[in-house]
Amino acid sequence: MTGDGALADGGSATGHGATTDSGSPTGHGATTDSGSATGDGATTDSGSPTGHGATTDSGSPTGHGATTGGGLLVVGDVVTDVVARHATALIHGTDTSARIRTLPGGAGANVACWAARSGCRDVRLLARVGADSAAWHRDALQQAGVRCLLAVDDDVPTATVVALVDSAAERTFLTDSGAVLHLSPDDWSASMLDGIAHLHLSGYLLFAATSRATALLALREARRRRITVSVDPASAGFLADLGVDRFLTAVEGADLLLPNADEARLLTGLPEPADAAAKLSLQVPRVVVTLGGGGALLAVAGAVTRHVPAVRVRGAVDTTGAGDAFTGGFLAARLSGADDAAAVEAGCRSAAEAVATVGGRPGP
């Protein structure tokens, strides 16, 4: 995901837990399938062999510095976000004044950064980037406290998203998936789970055959080791293209599902998010559905057990990555020993912080 998690003061949620006084952003970034990955000639920052003549920059994960509950491994995406904030409506066929920034993003990378920001001391990220910007992304992640396990693609550039953010902080995205969906099973090593207590998968990886195989390989190994697994469905649009049944089959064995309201409706066919959350929790043990200005719902074993209100935010500047912030805050809290309700509250606080800064990552 390249900037998922809008905040809304009503309307449909896209993965978040805060309320803004400046309109109701909806929708979120998405990646699209750009062909099968080859992995040929790739390099990686992980200490595990990646196949196809890959080279490595660092030792294998040791799990040192983990929280009481252990470390977090995110398998997901790294994206270059071009964020254009325009105060007036776009005028077709001519210029529109805007403030434009190029920032590091990507759903998986954002989640990892927000988890580190929220106190998780051992956060690792497996993702695939192009050689064109690998060093820049690596530096940004390391500065955020994330241990990089980046497969570097010499042939395909890093994914790029152009985010058009209007005066109400609502976003529209143009997406080039680049290297994201080329994450290959050859980029994976079971040793990446050493010292890990929880695995988080970005749902975008499930929308193409090669990256889906990699995500499911990680899920199976985590289950074999009795490591808990969470999945962010990522995109209602791409879920519809993949098919609900295929998605639900793919995530069998996951312990936690983190859809927004639109994704929950699509996955269940039910119009009410509470009903959808309850139904999904019969298939996945724990479900958290975000509701925009309505906060978030927690469902377990077929029933909604908690509704956590959103954190009000005044003067939101950019909703990009708020859903990722929610997920990062939630997972960090759970790994530190918080119960589900406290973790949802932590996620809402992170989402509220996210909308006060431009881009999908924590501010300085």
Side-chain angles (χ1 to χ4, degrees), residues 7 17-19 114 310-313 322 325-326 347-357:
L7 278 79
T19 302
W114 281 102
V311 175
R312 180 163 292 279
V313 177
F326 178 94
C348 289
R349 290 193 295 271
S350 293
E353 182 181 351
V355 301
T357 188

Side-chain angles (χ1 to χ4, degrees), residues 269-314:
L270 299 174
E272 293 299 324
D275 294 337
K279 182 176 180 179
L280 285 171
S281 69
L282 294 172
Q283 298 171 281
V284 179
R286 279 175 170 75
V287 174
V288 177
V289 176
T290 53
L291 306 173
L297 298 171
L298 171 67
V300 179
V304 173
T305 60
R306 186 65 63 95
H307 174 207
V308 176
V311 175
R312 180 163 292 279
V313 177
R314 294 188 179 278

Side-chain angles (χ1 to χ4, degrees), residues 62-117:
T62 62
H64 58 80
T67 62
T68 300
L72 169 66
L73 173 63
V74 178
V75 179
D77 49 323
V78 169
V79 173
T80 299
D81 284 342
V82 180
V83 181
R85 298 166 59 203
H86 54 100
T88 60
L90 296 176
I91 304 173
H92 182 70
T94 187
D95 294 335
T96 300
S97 179
R99 299 178 64 183
I100 301 174
R101 294 180 62 185
T102 300
L103 300 165
N110 293 345
V111 168
C113 290
W114 281 102
R117 170 64 162 253

